[in-house]
Amino acid sequence: MSDKKNELTNLHPDIIKFQNAIRKKYAAENQTAKKGQILFVGSSSMEIFPVDQLQLNLNLDKIIYNRGVRATTTADLLNHMDTLIFDLLPGKIFMNIGSNDIGFNVPESVFLANYDEILRQIKEKLPDTVVYVMKYYPINTTENFGEEKEEHNQFYAHRSNELLEAANFKVEQLAKRYGYEFIDVNAGLTNAEGNLRRELTFDGAHMLPAGYEIVLGNMKKYLV
């Protein structure tokens, strides 16, 4: 598949440079990584998941490898499936991808077709791998986190809990089509209004380590 990411998302060159650098780093690490382990894959919400630190207290018999890349869309993941998934031959995959498709206003038909193709390829190439498709994390668009109003409005023009929830339903249907489990590990993240709790986020859309501790606690039953 040709790389059409820039055409749809107009990413800043610095972000593209970072993405290339982190994928190069992952590719190098894959050469010595153990096969059959646990893989976390997705966008920035996965990239900043402090897995290396938090998994030390889990006493798992498997290693968790994080292959999240910021600003990644479903199209971007499709362009780099070997580096981000297949080279590791994971025994379990936890996937959180697509929130940027929504945020970048990628047409829903494109987003869902890409997601479908991601799951199809995994089913075909890794038929024995257990895949957990994750519900999108809630966000907080109502409070001020220090950004300029114009910056806030631009970032959240196509990001809301309502849009994420609508996408969750459709992604769940895709997961079921391939016999994969759709999991909700968000208990404890929201306030009474359903927004991501202010003390768990630094910008309303990305979580602090305290938020990921809650998520990891909810994930434990799937990790063992």
Side-chain angles (χ1 to χ4, degrees):
M1 176 180 290
S2 62
D3 191 340
K4 297 184 177 180
K5 168 168 60 72
N6 299 342
E7 177 183 319
L8 288 174
T9 62
N10 296 315
L11 291 178
H12 191 281
D14 287 347
I15 296 179
I16 297 172
K17 183 178 179 180
F18 176 88
Q19 289 180 323
N20 291 334
I22 196 170
R23 284 192 295 261
K24 183 177 180 179
K25 171 178 173 286
Y26 288 158
E29 292 175 349
N30 289 348
Q31 301 305 308
T32 56
K34 292 181 66 176
K35 309 304 182 187
Q37 305 301 298
I38 299 171
L39 172 64
F40 284 14
V41 65
S43 55
S44 57
S45 62
M46 196 63 92
E47 181 196 335
I48 65 175
F49 202 130
V51 171
D52 290 344
Q53 177 184 353
L54 294 179
Q55 69 177 308
L56 295 176
N57 300 319
L58 291 177
N59 297 314
L60 298 175
D61 61 357
K62 300 287 185 181
I63 300 169
I64 301 175
Y65 291 112
N66 189 335
R67 293 297 180 263
V69 182
R70 68 191 61 179
T72 289
T73 62
T74 52
D76 193 34
L77 179 54
L78 272 174
N79 287 324
H80 302 280
M81 293 284 278
D82 287 339
T83 298
L84 300 178
I85 298 177
F86 296 133
D87 288 350
L88 288 165
L89 297 177
K92 286 185 180 181
I93 298 173
F94 291 84
M95 180 176 298
N96 193 332
I97 189 71
S99 58
N100 284 323
D101 294 70
I102 299 164
F104 296 150
N105 202 27
V106 173
E108 184 179 84
S109 59
V110 174
F111 156 45
L112 293 176
N114 288 342
Y115 212 136
D116 185 272
E117 178 62 14
I118 289 167
L119 298 181
R120 188 198 68 77
Q121 288 190 26
I122 294 172
K123 177 64 74 172
E124 176 183 305
K125 296 183 180 183
L126 300 172
D128 298 323
T129 296
V130 177
V131 178
Y132 295 103
V133 175
M134 298 174 67
K135 183 176 183 178
Y136 298 120
Y137 300 132
I139 60 177
N140 187 326
T141 65
T142 63
E143 299 191 59
N144 186 300
F145 293 90
E147 72 272 26
E148 297 292 335
K149 183 176 181 180
E150 182 178 346
E151 179 185 1
H152 177 96
N153 291 340
Q154 181 179 6
F155 184 80
Y156 289 111
H158 301 288
R159 298 175 192 266
S160 69
N161 286 319
E162 290 74 20
L163 287 172
L164 291 170
E165 193 57 43
N168 278 324
F169 175 77
K170 294 172 182 177
V171 170
E172 182 177 9
Q173 304 313 304
L174 287 178
K176 289 180 178 178
R177 181 182 303 172
Y178 291 94
Y180 296 144
E181 188 171 354
F182 181 83
I183 61 171
D184 179 354
V185 292
N186 298 342
L189 295 179
T190 56
N191 59 23
E193 290 73 41
N195 295 309
L196 180 60
R197 289 160 49 194
R198 181 181 177 84
E199 67 271 21
L200 299 180
T201 176
F202 58 88
D203 63 357
H206 299 92
M207 286 189 287
L208 292 162
Y212 285 109
E213 287 183 18
I214 294 172
V215 170
L216 196 62
N218 295 334
M219 292 177 73
K220 281 183 179 179
K221 62 182 179 180
Y222 304 109
L223 289 166
V224 296

